[in-house]
Every structure is written in structure tokens, then in C-alpha cells.
Amino acid sequence: MNTKIVSIEPSEIDEEKIKQAARILKEGGLAAFPTETVYGLGADALNALAADKIYKAKGRPSDNPLIVHIGDISAVDAIARDISESARKLMEKFWPGPLTLILKKEDIVPLKTTGGLDTVAVRMPSHPVALALIRESGLYIAAPSANTSGKPSPTTGKHVADDLEGRIDMIIDAGAVGVGLESTIVDVTTSEPVILRPGYVTKEMLEQVIGEVREDKAFTDADSRPKAPGMKYRHYAPKAELVIVDGQIDLVIKEINRIAGEKINKGIKVGIIATQESLPFYKYGKVISVGSRKNEDTIAHNLYSVLREFDETDVELIYCESFSNKNLGQAISNRLTKAASNHVIDLEKSN
Ligand code: TXA
Ligand code: MG
């Protein structure tokens, strides 16, 4: 399949290109587009055959449901029912934006889109290109992250092309996205809302609007089965083996230098994910800064592109510093731990 790649400047949207993409979606095709979190791979959410194409293009397990993107808050009532007061408050506060709500689905949403579940994930993105596309198409757009299943989510149009060129109809390239990590997912189908995936909208931010919010215990208990089906799969992983070194930062730097030196002596090609602050202290291997600890937004923004950058090298083993579990740090740590398949060297425990 020939994938048409078009560039759009978010501040000056070319309506003709949006119309082309909208036409593809209305005809049951696949078009990747930017959102403020990561790029999405879009299809008509109410067309089971189109949704099925998403699973095939990504190599995604069919029990892993898709998020449905809407262009106006009021559109939620056509695809979801029994919407609670808390859910309404969260929509008012955080939409458009990086928050996905799990709601009871209406019959018109095919089970193909929801991975066989009777609930549906809904989000109204804030990226101007995403909103223009949804509104022009008049559709509800199912869109998982536009990566090959298992790989880090794409934060640039090039990442999408690297994974999916030749497998989808169109890619709208609007440059790098803002947030860089996928949306926060909150299940609001029960009386006590539960965070299923941490993201830019933190527990504290949610609690300011609706009071106490729980967290899926799978965040902290590796043996617990996650409530979001997608969270159980190996994910976000670079080609090289990734190991997180956790502990006090000066000890982490010392330990990474020690083991990196050892591995390099054995002929293994080592990479290190550092921060702006620690970059000068690493002595061996290919060292890349993921951002500044003084501004965790920069780390979220760069994380996936750094993981993908290592894929372009011959590095076989990557060591990475750990991040806090507070605020945005929680989402960063959650994605990193998955990318590392839970391989963490805990300096506090090993001491
Ligand atoms: O920021 C985002 O959310 C991006 C952009 C493109 O919007 N999308 C995204 O989609 O990250 P995806 O498919 O990569 O991740 C969707 C997650 C999966 O873990 C899936 O299992 C979960 O949402 N999910 C979807 N529907 C669900 C449902 N009904 N119940 C529980 N989890 C659900
Ligand atoms: Mg994904």
C-alpha cells in the first residue's frame, strides 16, 4: 500500500489536506494524525471493518480496546451511557486534553472497537489538527498510538512513518507533539473512579475536581492483572535491553559508570539515558540526555524519542536513571518500567 504523507503546520491548518484525510476515514481507511499526547492511528470507530484494519496494521492483540476520539464534549452521549456526575465534571475540567474516560458503551459502538468489552474509552484531544480532522469527518475516531505494537509510541510524524509506512493510507505530519506520553485513563463506570494508566493529568489534579480517586494496584504490584487490557503487554520497548538503576542519584551515577565500564570491557555496546544534570558525569558508552529533572515535562516530552534514537544505533544494553513517583514522574516511571520489562536494579535493596 502506498502511504500518502502530508505535512501540516498546526498554526496554519491546510483545510484541503484535512479534507483528504477525513475522506479516507469516511471510506473506512486509516490515517495517522497528531494529538497533544502522541500520534494516533485513526479509523471510523463505528465501522468494525475499519477498526479491524487498525489491529492488523499495528499487529495489535484483538482484546486490546481502542480509544474513541471526539471533537465536542456533547458527542460523548451518542457513544456512552449512564455517565456519572464525576465523569461530567472531569470532562468539563480536562477536555479537550490528555484525559481518557472509561464509560459504559452505547450499542452503536462495535465490540471490535472495544476489544469485546461493554465499556468504551473516550477522549477529546486538544491538538488543533486532531480537532480539525474529527470535526471535518463528522466521525468518532478510534485511535490507538500510531506505533507497531510493543514499540514506543510515536511523538513525531517520522516515528509513525518508520513503523507504519506502507501499511496505512495516510500520515499527517505536524512535527513533534507536546506532552509526549499517552493520556491518563480513568475508569468512571464505578462509584469510586480508578486510574488505569497514569499520565499528564495526575491523581492530585483529578482529586481536586472529584475527591478521592484510586489507582489500579497493578501500578505497584507486578503480579496484579491491569484493568486496562493494553497495560499487560510488553510495551514502549527499544530494541536494546533496558535496565533502570534506582536509588539516590549520586549512587546511581556511580553504579551505572561501574557496570557500564564492566560491560564495555566485555565488548558489549552500552547506552546511557542521563538527564541534563547528570550528563557530564558519565564516562562510558553512548550517553543521551532525556531532559531536565528541574522540569519533568521535558523528560516526558523526550522519553520515547530517546528510546527510538537508541534503535538507530548498535547499542545492545541501555542503563537509565530512575524518576520520582510523584506527579508526572509517576507516568514517566510507569512507561520506563514497562519499556524495561520490570528490570530494575534497586540500590537501596542491594545495599
Ligand atoms: O494519549 C493517548 O491516549 C493516545 C492518543 C492517540 O490519544 N492513545 C493511546 O491509545 O495511547 P492506545 O491504544 O495506545 O492505549 C489505549 C489504552 C490501552 O491500554 C487499552 O487497553 C486501554 O486504553 N483501554 C481502551 N479501552 C478500554 C476499556 N474499555 N477499558 C479499559 N481499558 C481500555
Ligand atoms: Mg499504545
Side-chain angles (χ1 to χ4, degrees):
M1 178 190 292
N2 180 36
T3 303
K4 189 171 174 55
I5 303 181
V6 299
S7 292
I8 292 187
E9 183 56 54
S11 58
E12 210 180 312
I13 293 179
D14 182 333
E15 287 303 330
E16 217 22 70
K17 291 174 181 167
I18 294 288
K19 280 193 179 133
Q20 253 184 51
R23 205 173 311 127
I24 286 172
L25 295 176
K26 284 191 274 190
E27 287 167 1
L30 301 183
F33 60 96
T35 81
E36 71 281 17
T37 57
V38 300
Y39 274 75
L41 175 57
D44 177 356
L46 303 190
N47 175 343
L49 289 175
D52 192 47
K53 288 185 190 168
I54 288 182
Y55 290 90
K56 296 217 166 76
K58 281 184 57 105
R60 180 178 177 107
S62 61
D63 70 341
N64 190 1
L66 309 173
I67 295 175
V68 179
H69 295 66
I70 58 177
D72 285 285
I73 295 186
S74 60
V76 72
D77 291 293
I79 51 174
R81 61 185 165 79
D82 303 340
I83 299 173
S84 68
E85 239 353 90
S86 303
R88 299 270 179 207
K89 283 187 188 158
L90 293 176
M91 292 171 199
E92 283 301 325
K93 176 77 184 176
F94 296 108
W95 283 0
L99 176 70
T100 295
L101 298 175
I102 306 296
L103 300 161
K104 293 256 167 60
K105 87 172 187 71
E106 276 290 1
D107 293 343
I108 55 164
V109 184
L111 290 169
K112 191 84 225 170
T113 298
T114 64
L117 299 174
D118 61 2
T119 54
V120 60
V122 187
R123 154 168 136 78
M124 178 179 172
S126 64
H127 195 293
V129 172
L131 286 175
L133 177 60
I134 301 167
R135 289 171 183 167
E136 173 63 35
S137 68
L139 301 172
Y140 308 93
I141 301 184
S145 50
N147 51 287
T148 302
S149 206
K151 293 241 294 179
S153 298
T155 55
T156 67
K158 181 182 178 299
H159 294 163
V160 180
D162 287 347
D163 281 15
L164 298 176
E165 188 169 7
R167 304 177 70 86
I168 62 178
D169 300 289
M170 186 167 178
I171 298 172
I172 301 177
D173 184 342
V177 297
V179 175
L181 296 181
E182 306 81 355
S183 61
T184 306
I185 301 179
V186 182
D187 183 347
V188 280
T189 58
T190 55
S191 53
E192 276 183 77
V194 187
I195 304 174
L196 307 189
R197 180 173 74 181
Y200 194 80
V201 176
T202 62
K203 184 172 191 283
E204 291 68 29
M205 290 159 74
L206 295 164
E207 288 186 333
Q208 276 177 12
V209 181
I210 55 166
E212 202 186 337
V213 176
R214 289 187 300 136
E215 289 174 327
D216 188 347
K217 70 173 190 297
F219 291 0
T220 46
D221 173 6
D223 297 327
S224 178
R225 190 185 169 83
K227 291 202 176 62
M231 298 292 278
K232 70 176 180 280
Y233 296 108
R234 179 161 191 259
H235 232 123
Y236 320 119
K239 286 185 194 138
E241 187 184 341
L242 176 66
V243 180
I244 301 166
V245 183
D246 184 23
Q248 225 182 296
I249 186 64
D250 44 340
L251 299 180
V252 166
I253 294 171
K254 208 168 140 197
E255 180 64 6
I256 291 180
N257 271 324
R258 189 187 69 76
I259 27 183
E262 232 174 64
K263 298 289 177 189
I264 286 166
N265 282 338
K266 286 188 188 150
I268 298 169
K269 297 198 175 59
V270 172
I272 296 173
I273 300 179
T275 54
Q276 224 44 55
E277 292 77 16
S278 63
L279 194 65
F281 300 108
Y282 288 109
K283 302 181 195 149
Y284 312 106
K286 180 169 178 57
V287 190
I288 303 181
S289 166
V290 65
S292 169
R293 285 187 186 274
K294 295 193 188 111
N295 179 2
E296 281 189 326
D297 285 14
T298 60
I299 296 171
H301 179 81
N302 296 325
L303 180 63
Y304 290 146
S305 85
V306 168
L307 293 175
R308 281 178 179 261
E309 203 176 324
F310 275 114
D311 282 353
E312 317 249 291
T313 70
D314 56 0
V315 160
E316 299 155 278
L317 183 56
I318 307 169
Y319 292 102
C320 182
E321 296 172 6
S322 63
F323 295 93
S324 80
N325 253 317
K326 283 191 234 106
N327 302 319
L328 189 54
Q330 189 184 28
I332 295 169
S333 301
N334 170 271
R335 304 309 194 279
L336 257 183
T337 312
K338 282 194 187 300
S341 299
N342 286 313
H343 192 165
V344 182
I345 300 176
D346 184 343
L347 296 180
E348 243 119 76
K349 264 190 202 149
S350 56
N351 266 340

